[in-house]
Every structure is written in C-alpha cells, then in structure tokens.
Amino acid sequence: MREVKMENTHPRDPKKTYGLMELVKGTKPTVGLKPDKMVFTWPHVLIREMIIFVSVSALLLVAAFFIDAPLEAIANANLPPNPAKAPWYFLGLQELVSYSALVGGVVIPGLIVTVLILVPYLDRKKVGIGIWFAKERALANSLFMLFLVVMLILIIVGTFFRGPNWDFVVPWEAVKGH
Amino acid sequence: MDLKISAVKTYLNDVFRSIFRYGKMPRDAEGQSFAVFNNLFLHIHPVKVTRHSLKPTYTFGLGLISAVLFLVLIFTGVWLMFYYIPTVDEAYNRMLDLRSSTNFGFVLRNVHKWAAEAMVVFVILHMARVFFTGAYKPPREFNWVVGVFLLLLTFGLSFTGYLLPWDQLAFWAITVGTSIAGYVPVMGEDIRSFLLGGDIVGQEALIRFYVLHVVILPGLMLVLLGVHFWRIRKDGGLAHPSENEDASAGGGE
C-alpha cells in the first residue's frame, strides 16, 4: 500500500464540508473490513491439496508393496468357518446381533442412523462452532464420544475376543492353542 | 530467424491462453480469483478461504484425505475391471492371476484394498471432527445429513466390494452380513433375497454386488460428493468461530 499525493489529484474545495480522506493503492476493495483474515484459494488451498494427494498416494503405494490384501481359499458353501465374521466395521453390529437379532441387527442400527441424521436439527444453538471440544458443547461432545467408544469396544470384542460359536475367547490364549 | 522464433512463441502462447486464460502462475488478486472461478475443476472451491480453515490442527485434512482415497479407489477400481470377471468360475482365478501373472497386479489389488479400508476409517474420523467442532450447526445442517448418507454409501461400497474376490473370507462375511438384513420384521427375508438374488450367496449375488459396486454406488457417491463439496462453499466455507452467538469471545483467526 502506498499513499498517492491527494493534493495534486483531488484538490480540497474549501466550500465543501466533506472531502476525500485518503487514496490507497491496492488490488481489492477493503472498505469497512477488519484486517484481512482470508487467503486466496490459489495457491494456499491448492498447494495443500496437492501435498495431501501426493502423500496419501505415496503411503498407499508403500503399504501395497509390503502388506498383501488377504486372500483365502476359493469360496465353498459347504465349508463354513467357525465363527464366520462380517467385515470389521460391521463386527460391532454382529456382536449386538449375538445378544438379540432384532434389537442388535435392526432396531439399534436404525436408531443410530436416524439420530445421526437428526443431530443438526436437534442441536441448533450457535455455540462452540469451529472450536474443538468447546466448553459450551461438553454434553453433546461427551455423548458422541461415548457413542464412538462403545462402537469401538464392540468392534474390538467382535474382532479379537470372539471364537468358535461366538464364544468369548482371549486372543493370546487362542494363539497358544494353535 | 529471430522474427520467426518470436512468432512461434506468440502462437504457442496464444494456444496456451486459449486453454488457461489467466496465464501460468497468477500472482495478483485478479488473476488468482479468475484462476479459480474460471476453471470447471477448481470452481468447486471458494475464491478465498479463512486462515482458520487452513490450520492443520483444525481439520487434520480428514475430509480431503477421504476424497483423495475415493479418487484412488476409482482409478484402481477401473483398472481392476480390466482383469476381473464377475462369475463364480472366474472371479477367484482372476485374484490368483493378479498375484502371479499380472505385472504389478498385486500392488494394484493391494492399493485398492488398503485405500478402501482407510476410507472407512477416515470418513468416520472426518465425521467425528465435524461433530467435535460443532460444524453441523446452522447453516450447515443439511451438509451433515448429506455426510451421513456418504458414510452409508462408503459402508455399502466396502461391503459390496468385499464379496468380489470370491474367497472364503468374502463368501462367509457376506453370508453373515446379509443375514442381518433377514432379521427385519415381516419383510426381512424378502430384503435378503432381493440383495442376494436367491437364498444363498451365489452367482446372482455376485453379479448384483458387482453392478452395485462398480456402477450404482460409485455413481451415487459422485453425485452426493458433488453436493457435499458445493454446499461447503455455499454455506460459507468451513465453520468458523466468528459464527458463534458470542463471537467476540470466540478466538481463532
């Protein structure tokens, strides 16, 4: 920003009660704005997007070279494994289903999805926006954290602590038994 | 001679400008604005964003990482389609071929597999981030709802893809997974046989899961992702502390 000599371009008229206050050299209209909190997408956002794109791709390639995706024997409807397990993210549900098929497999997942969809229409007070774990949102955040932790525990139990006939097993014991 | 070289340069520059109208590296505000909103692929972004939204510890890039994983999955997924045959007789053999006789076939399949697992994780983490930062509050309610459906689509894509290798893991995971649908009162069995195209996981189930996995669900995902990104921009960028009722108390940049 550089000041231009106003006297030359806009001489003051003594009859007027108002006058041009300042001329500023700049590239954007900044009238009435607080100090600029915005940055241009080009290049600030785009460069970050490129960095994430490249690093995610690179990490995947490295992982793919060293860790093989599982592949078991060809599918055989006559050879059921015991226990047969769903993909890991459904093992929390499978764990619930082992207690009650209707409640665990239908009612609870239905409720979870319904409540998730309704969240922004139930909790509308404009506090704690854009701030991690804001004090004003302690209750909402605690409830959601509890939900995540319970799901995580169920998935861990379903993945590591369930053996034949969905009986409780301790993973390190199961390894010894082999 | 000099004249000719400069004529060629001018000509090439004209060609370049016909594609990218605002030059290679815009350095002024006008050029940087035009670079974004005159480009079909970039204009999903706003021209400017808050510094707050760029703080790595605000978003951890979780949504962006999910989107990148989805792009990787489309790329590797289409590539895999050149090798894969969705029949009970051929599917498993094709997995073995990818391991042994296709150049870097194992890398291709592994990238697809690990990107898929990572996507489930990062979409959930992204949802947690949005919740814990209160970013679903008005005016962003509907974008949260779109996000819930994107999460369900992610599960759907992962689950349908799980069957395609046609190994024991795939067969029994889908058998167990779809049996849960059978627990729905009254119409449970109908839903299950609609998904599987029969009573058990067989050829009909394989082709249904395949079409869902490579056409229907990715198509829905692309449309909803477009809406999701578009709404970020239309709802005023990422959630910012200045939107709070007592904004003067809210910190941040």
Side-chain angles (χ1 to χ4, degrees), chain B:
Chain B
M1 193 65 197
D2 269 358
L3 196 71
K4 277 184 183 164
I5 288 175
S6 73
V8 169
K9 269 189 173 171
T10 315
Y11 181 75
L12 288 179
N13 191 43
D14 286 350
V15 171
F16 183 85
R17 287 282 176 144
S18 78
I19 306 168
F20 302 102
R21 292 184 193 277
Y22 291 93
K24 278 179 228 162
M25 278 291 161
R27 297 198 186 281
D28 61 337
E30 189 196 22
Q32 290 179 338
S33 308
F34 279 128
V36 171
F37 65 66
N38 276 350
N39 182 305
L40 174 69
F41 303 102
L42 298 184
H43 93 289
I44 199 105
H45 301 89
V47 166
K48 296 181 97 180
V49 299
T50 59
R51 288 183 197 280
H52 174 77
S53 66
L54 291 180
K55 277 191 196 161
T57 52
Y58 179 56
T59 64
F60 293 97
L62 296 169
L64 186 56
I65 292 173
S66 309
V68 168
L69 289 167
F70 182 61
L71 284 181
V72 170
L73 284 163
I74 290 187
F75 181 76
T76 53
V78 170
W79 198 342
L80 282 166
M81 285 173 73
F82 286 114
Y83 300 110
Y84 184 74
I85 300 179
T87 65
V88 170
D89 293 328
E90 273 302 316
Y92 185 75
N93 289 335
R94 292 301 169 130
M95 293 299 117
L96 297 179
D97 287 352
L98 277 176
R99 272 196 171 175
S100 53
S101 54
T102 311
N103 278 335
F104 292 104
F106 74 104
V107 176
L108 183 58
R109 176 167 177 252
N110 290 351
V111 169
H112 196 74
K113 167 76 177 177
W114 300 132
E117 299 286 2
M119 187 171 161
V120 174
V121 173
F122 276 95
V123 168
I124 293 171
L125 290 177
H126 169 60
M127 178 184 237
R129 191 288 287 177
V130 170
F131 193 97
F132 291 133
T133 56
Y136 56 81
K137 305 262 179 152
R140 298 186 180 78
E141 310 101 304
F142 186 67
N143 218 11
W144 166 274
V145 176
V146 174
V148 173
F149 283 101
L150 284 170
L151 172 69
L152 296 178
L153 276 176
T154 305
F155 284 141
L157 274 163
S158 178
F159 188 65
T160 50
Y162 215 86
L163 181 63
L164 304 187
W166 202 249
D167 63 345
Q168 278 288 75
L169 202 63
F171 183 90
W172 291 102
I174 301 314
T175 300
V176 169
T178 50
S179 71
I180 296 178
Y183 301 136
V184 176
V186 188
M187 48 199 256
E189 277 309 310
D190 292 335
I191 296 175
R192 204 180 93 88
S193 40
F194 178 73
L195 280 174
L196 295 182
D199 291 334
I200 63 155
V201 178
Q203 179 60 59
E204 295 308 316
L206 183 57
I207 199 76
R208 279 176 194 211
F209 275 47
Y210 179 70
V211 174
L212 281 170
H213 188 74
V214 303
V215 180
I216 296 174
L217 297 180
L220 284 172
M221 184 77 119
L222 279 173
V223 172
L224 274 191
L225 263 186
V227 175
H228 200 58
F229 294 161
W230 180 248
R231 292 289 300 222
I232 299 174
R233 200 186 120 182
K234 290 291 157 183
D235 293 341
L238 301 196
H240 190 276
S242 68
E243 294 169 36
N244 287 306
E245 273 167 3
D246 55 342
S248 54
E253 285 177 66

Side-chain angles (χ1 to χ4, degrees), chain A residues 41 88-89 116 123 125 137, chain B residues 46 117 131 136-137 144 158:
Chain A
T41 294
W88 64 267
Y89 43 83
L116 278 180
D123 173 30
K125 205 165 177 237
R137 288 175 36 75
Chain B
E117 299 286 2
F131 193 97
Y136 56 81
K137 305 262 179 152
W144 166 274
S158 178

Side-chain angles (χ1 to χ4, degrees), chain A residues 51-116:
Chain A
I51 291 170
I52 288 189
F53 180 82
V54 171
S55 22
V56 167
S57 310
L59 281 175
L60 279 171
L61 265 179
V62 172
F65 261 97
F66 293 106
I67 317 169
D68 269 334
L71 186 67
E72 295 185 356
I74 190 167
N76 186 343
N78 299 318
L79 270 184
N82 189 4
K85 290 190 178 183
W88 64 267
Y89 43 83
F90 285 158
L91 283 184
L93 289 186
Q94 198 178 346
E95 175 67 17
L96 288 171
V97 164
S98 72
Y99 304 115
S100 160
L102 180 64
V103 174
V106 182
V107 177
I108 290 180
L111 270 178
I112 289 175
V113 172
T114 311
V115 172
L116 278 180

Side-chain angles (χ1 to χ4, degrees), chain A:
Chain A
M1 305 226 178
R2 202 181 68 213
E3 276 189 59
V4 181
K5 284 208 169 163
M6 296 194 291
E7 292 78 18
N8 302 337
T9 53
H10 297 76
R12 195 167 181 127
D13 184 343
K15 276 183 271 180
K16 284 184 180 166
T17 56
Y18 57 90
L20 184 68
M21 299 311 292
E22 197 176 19
L23 279 177
V24 177
K25 260 217 167 157
T27 53
K28 51 198 177 245
T30 47
V31 181
L33 288 187
K34 291 174 190 168
D36 204 359
K37 293 171 182 171
M38 309 284 279
V39 291
F40 275 98
T41 294
W42 181 301
H44 299 277
V45 176
L46 297 178
I47 191 74
R48 286 164 171 81
E49 289 179 352
M50 284 309 295
I51 291 170
I52 288 189
F53 180 82
V54 171
S55 22
V56 167
S57 310
L59 281 175
L60 279 171
L61 265 179
V62 172
F65 261 97
F66 293 106
I67 317 169
D68 269 334
L71 186 67
E72 295 185 356
I74 190 167
N76 186 343
N78 299 318
L79 270 184
N82 189 4
K85 290 190 178 183
W88 64 267
Y89 43 83
F90 285 158
L91 283 184
L93 289 186
Q94 198 178 346
E95 175 67 17
L96 288 171
V97 164
S98 72
Y99 304 115
S100 160
L102 180 64
V103 174
V106 182
V107 177
I108 290 180
L111 270 178
I112 289 175
V113 172
T114 311
V115 172
L116 278 180
I117 289 174
L118 290 179
V119 155
Y121 300 100
L122 298 173
D123 173 30
R124 302 178 61 79
K125 205 165 177 237
K126 296 188 88 173
V127 292
I129 299 175
I131 303 163
W132 275 91
F133 301 114
K135 278 198 298 288
E136 301 92 325
R137 288 175 36 75
L139 177 65
N141 283 337
S142 310
L143 287 175
F144 196 72
M145 187 61 99
L146 182 70
F147 162 67
L148 291 181
V149 170
V150 168
M151 289 316 291
L152 185 66
I153 290 174
L154 286 173
I155 287 174
I156 289 173
V157 169
T159 306
F160 299 108
F161 293 86
R162 290 297 177 184
N165 309 316
W166 210 252
D167 288 335
F168 190 85
V169 292
V170 188
W172 46 94
E173 294 289 328
V175 171
K176 265 189 221 160
H178 263 285

